[in-house]
């Protein structure tokens, strides 16, 4: 939903102003961490939305525990929400944390090593008792051993102060303790001079039928602010230096990658004048695309199937019926869909397949991110089964990628795979909402002459067959998985025809390359090293190159949206550089393809830890390759 600013009700006190000194900063990386039931995702989202209202830029990284309900207080159950906020454009959720909010010992243990020296750690002191220390694996309390001596540690008795703030309300101890996340949020709002009227409005709407819970959260939020203002441990607050660049006029909102993907599919359907149909099955981390589309029944038909195979089968049926059809999934479901993907290739119907990648194989680590489905997307089907493969680069880029994928699917009558990633789907950033007429035109081409009708008659330029919608007299036809005769579309087992049709299907995908824009390069024009990325590595690569360029290192980067076919100018670009580095969240799948397709030697940089790259990791690799 769009973030709207309106005046707070007269019944509420205005957000107070701190009297402590204010320090202007370029950016800050904040990490909220606690048990999965501590509401860290909620307060992180509230802080992000409030930052958007303040006109700041941000990039987020929600980090969910892998177990559905790990034992409370253990390192396996720690849930985190990381956000980088700045008055300038940001490309990543950040590397080291400037502020860590740790609600228990386990949250501290998992995260403190990523706090920059001198950074702030705000701790719920009440949770540091022997029972929770034992669960987190601490022999002694880190508050007394000196291991936190390099940080500014704020020991706040949040549980006690929350209960005190809620005295007089008819709440049990458990209900009161659940409000301590708002106490923590109040401290962070104070620290960064944030107006919390947006959060107050959110609480009023969320709990309007539960007045005691509503009052409790509002009280606790303000109590956290009051504690920070009165505490001698916090000497200064921070505010972000604003950008001098004037943003493009328009409506701006916070958007996650999954929300952007849903909006992109709806926008493409509107631009093509078609009904959107989603056949899908719930799977982490892709389910939110289906949830988002289910809210928009005026624009989309959403079918939650009984399994992944039925979901894509229904989508192909909807495409046969004339809809813009899509199916969404993650790795395990992507594997299950492969047979029906082959059917989509054979019948040559438009279909958009969104794979929000997660750590595999098998069930793997469902809540963690990876880029390990690339080779499956390109080659993971039996027979010669070529498909267009694209990848989104950032959360907001999921919108543009889905619009372009839908255009290609419709105009080239072909299935298109879009690879997203868990940290893109769940992550968010500021996005300018485009007007519909700003998007590219999408033109479906239909059979209109029954006298010349042939199901597999083709456009000579694109090799796309024309779309014949059932119910039009004279264009009745039947499609299936058996090989087609060129032109007529009847079943054919002829050897030479099969070879011809195989080549036509491959050439049709290859011809998409003529519509791919030339590669663009960011960085030093005389660089000898190029960093080549794809998918969600875009932000960290660009940040690393920007950081190094600022210190005089000659380095450049380029990014791929199309992974099959590749841009026509890609091999020429790569051969201009002495060294090409390819960072990937897999074991080197793009590296393998570049080497195999172009016989160009590149440097592999792999990370398979369920976490995205940090910019400083890529900076370090570049420095080692250049010897600087």
């Amino acid at each position: 939903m769009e973030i709207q600013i309106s005046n707070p009700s007269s019944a509420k006190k205005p957000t107070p102003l701190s009297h402590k000194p204010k320090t202007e900063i370029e950016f800050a990386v904040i990490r909220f961490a606690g048990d999965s039931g501590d509401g860290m995702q909620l307060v992180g989202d509230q802080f992000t939305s409030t930052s958007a209202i303040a006109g700041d830029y941000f990039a987020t990284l929600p980090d969910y525990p892998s177990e559905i309900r790990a034992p409370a207080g253990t390192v396996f159950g720690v849930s985190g929400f990381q956000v980088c906020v700045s008055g300038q454009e940001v490309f990543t959720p950040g590397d080291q944390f400037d502020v860590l909010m740790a609600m228990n010992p386990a949250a501290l243990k998992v995260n403190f090593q990523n706090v920059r020296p001198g950074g702030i750690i705000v701790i719920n002191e009440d949770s540091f008792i022997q029972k929770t220390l034992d669960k987190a694996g601490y022999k002694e309390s880190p508050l007394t051993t000196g291991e936190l001596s390099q940080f500014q540690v704020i020991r706040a008795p949040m549980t006690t102060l929350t209960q005190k703030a809620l005295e007089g309300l008819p709440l049990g101890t458990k209900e009161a303790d659940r409000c301590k996340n708002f106490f923590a949020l109040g401290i962070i709002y104070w620290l960064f001079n944030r107006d919390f009227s947006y959060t107050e409005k959110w609480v009023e709407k969320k709990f309007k039928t539960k007045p005691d819970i509503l009052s409790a959260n509002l009280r606790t939020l303000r109590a956290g602010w009051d504690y920070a203002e009165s505490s001698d441990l916090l000497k200064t607050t921070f505010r972000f230096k604003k950008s001098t660049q004037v943003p493009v006029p328009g409506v701006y909102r916070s958007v996650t990658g999954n929300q952007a993907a849903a909006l992109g599919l709806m926008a493409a359907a509107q631009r093509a004048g078609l009904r959107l149909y989603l056949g899908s099955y719930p799977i982490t981390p892709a389910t939110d695309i289906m949830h988002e589309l289910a809210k928009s029944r005026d624009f989309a038909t959403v079918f939650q199937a009984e399994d992944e195979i039925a979901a894509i089968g229904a989508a192909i049926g909807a495409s046969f019926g004339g809809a813009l059809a899509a199916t969404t999934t993650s790795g395990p479901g992507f594997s299950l869909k492969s047979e029906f993907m082959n059917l989509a290739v054979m019948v040559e119907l438009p279909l958009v397949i969104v794979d929000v990648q997660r750590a595999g194989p098998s069930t793997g680590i469902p809540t963690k991110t990876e880029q390990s489905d690339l080779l499956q997307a390109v080659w993971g089907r039996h027979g010669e089964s070529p498909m267009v493969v694209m990848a989104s680069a950032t959360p907001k880029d999921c919108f543009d990628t889905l619009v372009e994928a839908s255009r290609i699917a419709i105009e080239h009558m072909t299935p298109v795979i879009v690879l997203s990633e868990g940290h893109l789907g769940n992550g968010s950033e500021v996005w300018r909402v485009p007007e519909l007429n700003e998007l590219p035109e999408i033109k479906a081409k239909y059979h209109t002459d029954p006298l010349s009708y042939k199901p597999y008659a083709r456009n000579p330029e694109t090799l796309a067959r024309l779309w014949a919608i059932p119910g039009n007299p004279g264009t009745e036809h039947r499609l299936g998985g058996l090989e087609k005769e060129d032109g007529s579309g009847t079943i054919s087992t002829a050897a030479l025809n099969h070879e011809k049709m195989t080549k036509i299907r491959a050439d049709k995908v290859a011809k998409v390359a003529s519509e791919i824009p030339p590669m663009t390069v960011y960085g030093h024009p005389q660089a000898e090293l190029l960093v080549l990325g794809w998918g969600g590595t875009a932000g960290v690569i660009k940040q690393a190159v920007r950081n190094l360029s600022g210190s005089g290192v000659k380095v450049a980067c380029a990014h791929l949206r199309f992974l099959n076919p590749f841009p026509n100018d890609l091999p020429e670009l790569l051969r201009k550089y002495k060294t090409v580095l390819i960072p990937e969240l897999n074991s080197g799948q793009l590296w393998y393809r570049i080497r195999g397709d172009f016989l160009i030697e590149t440097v592999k940089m792999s990370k398979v830890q369920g976490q995205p790259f940090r910019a400083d990791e890529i900076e370090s690799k570049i420095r080692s390759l250049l010897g600087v």
Side-chain angles (χ1 to χ4, degrees), residues 87 117-118 123 134 193 257 274 305 338 358 366 375 470 472 483 513 535 546 557-558:
I123 287 173
D134 290 342
N193 283 278
L274 301 175
S338 62
R358 73 189 206 189
L375 293 185
N472 293 322
E483 183 60 278
R546 184 165 75 171
C557 64

Side-chain angles (χ1 to χ4, degrees), residues 275-282 290 293-294 297 300-318 326-328 337:
R275 179 74 178 177
L276 175 64
Y277 181 96
L278 179 76
S280 197
Y281 179 79
M290 179 168 60
L293 288 174
R297 296 180 184 178
T301 298
V302 177
F303 170 57
Q304 180 177 318
E306 64 269 29
D307 56 45
E308 296 280 5
I309 300 171
I312 186 173
I316 292 173
T327 187
T328 56
K337 293 180 189 292

Side-chain angles (χ1 to χ4, degrees), residues 445-461:
K445 296 183 179 179
Y446 302 98
H447 275 290
T448 56
D449 184 5
L451 297 178
S452 62
Y453 172 64
K454 289 184 179 181
Y456 279 75
R458 300 181 182 279
N459 180 324
E461 292 183 5

Side-chain angles (χ1 to χ4, degrees), residues 401-418:
T401 306
L402 264 298
V403 170
E404 180 64 2
S406 301
R407 184 194 68 79
I408 290 171
I410 290 170
E411 295 186 357
H412 291 260
M413 291 293 285
T414 186
V416 178
I417 295 171
V418 174

Side-chain angles (χ1 to χ4, degrees), residues 116-166:
R116 66 168 177 80
I120 298 172
I121 300 179
V122 184
I123 287 173
N124 177 16
E125 187 177 20
D126 289 336
S127 69
F128 280 69
I129 58 177
Q130 195 58 50
K131 180 181 177 180
T132 55
L133 291 169
D134 290 342
K135 284 185 176 183
Y138 280 116
K139 293 182 179 179
E140 298 180 69
S141 173
L143 302 183
T144 59
T145 59
E147 61 185 288
L148 303 179
S149 59
Q150 62 179 319
F151 310 113
Q152 301 178 59
V153 179
I154 311 302
R155 298 167 58 167
M158 296 186 199
T159 305
T160 300
L161 292 175
T162 295
Q163 292 173 353
K164 186 174 181 179
L166 302 184

Side-chain angles (χ1 to χ4, degrees), residues 100-378:
L100 169 63
M101 175 65 70
M103 300 300 288
N104 62 19
L108 178 67
K109 187 167 189 176
V110 169
N111 291 286
F112 87 91
Q113 66 272 19
N114 288 321
V115 181
R116 66 168 177 80
I120 298 172
I121 300 179
V122 184
I123 287 173
N124 177 16
E125 187 177 20
D126 289 336
S127 69
F128 280 69
I129 58 177
Q130 195 58 50
K131 180 181 177 180
T132 55
L133 291 169
D134 290 342
K135 284 185 176 183
Y138 280 116
K139 293 182 179 179
E140 298 180 69
S141 173
L143 302 183
T144 59
T145 59
E147 61 185 288
L148 303 179
S149 59
Q150 62 179 319
F151 310 113
Q152 301 178 59
V153 179
I154 311 302
R155 298 167 58 167
M158 296 186 199
T159 305
T160 300
L161 292 175
T162 295
Q163 292 173 353
K164 186 174 181 179
L166 302 184
E167 288 177 354
L169 288 177
L171 298 178
T173 301
K174 285 187 177 181
E175 287 179 308
D177 285 351
R178 289 195 190 104
C179 298
K180 66 180 179 290
N181 61 331
F182 276 87
F183 189 97
L185 182 59
I187 295 175
I188 300 299
Y189 276 168
W190 176 89
L191 191 60
F192 292 98
N193 283 278
R194 289 302 190 219
D195 183 324
F196 46 74
S197 59
Y198 170 80
T199 295
E200 289 178 321
K201 291 178 183 302
W202 182 89
V203 169
E204 288 176 344
K205 182 177 180 182
K206 177 76 173 177
F207 299 109
K208 62 183 178 182
T209 61
K210 300 177 180 179
D212 292 333
I213 301 297
L214 188 159
S215 178
N217 282 307
L218 293 181
R219 277 198 202 181
T220 310
L221 178 67
R222 193 169 289 267
W225 193 99
D226 290 340
Y227 170 80
E229 175 69 5
S230 60
S231 172
D232 291 333
L233 298 173
L234 294 163
K235 304 297 184 184
T236 183
T237 64
F238 302 98
R239 59 185 176 194
F240 298 106
K241 183 179 179 181
K242 295 296 183 182
S243 173
T244 56
Q245 184 177 355
V246 179
V248 177
V251 176
Y252 286 78
R253 60 165 285 180
S254 170
V255 69
T256 68
N258 284 339
Q259 289 172 332
L263 293 169
L265 287 169
M266 284 192 287
Q270 290 294 299
R271 203 72 175 111
L274 301 175
R275 179 74 178 177
L276 175 64
Y277 181 96
L278 179 76
S280 197
Y281 179 79
I283 185 170
T284 301
T287 308
D288 282 342
I289 301 176
M290 179 168 60
H291 290 168
E292 196 70 22
L293 288 174
K295 301 174 186 175
S296 305
R297 296 180 184 178
D298 290 343
F299 302 100
T301 298
V302 177
F303 170 57
Q304 180 177 318
E306 64 269 29
D307 56 45
E308 296 280 5
I309 300 171
I312 186 173
I316 292 173
S319 182
F320 180 69
L324 170 56
T327 187
T328 56
T329 190
S330 189
F334 194 56
S335 300
L336 288 168
K337 293 180 189 292
S338 62
E339 184 176 356
F340 262 126
M341 288 188 216
N342 266 343
L343 178 63
V345 169
M346 178 62 77
V347 299
E348 300 186 43
L349 284 170
L351 176 68
V352 179
I353 303 146
V354 183
D355 174 17
V356 187
Q357 300 166 94
R358 73 189 206 189
S362 188
T363 307
I365 314 179
T367 61
K368 305 302 180 182
T369 198
E370 213 160 87
Q371 290 183 305
S372 51
D373 296 351
L374 173 57
L375 293 185
Q376 183 184 4
V378 177

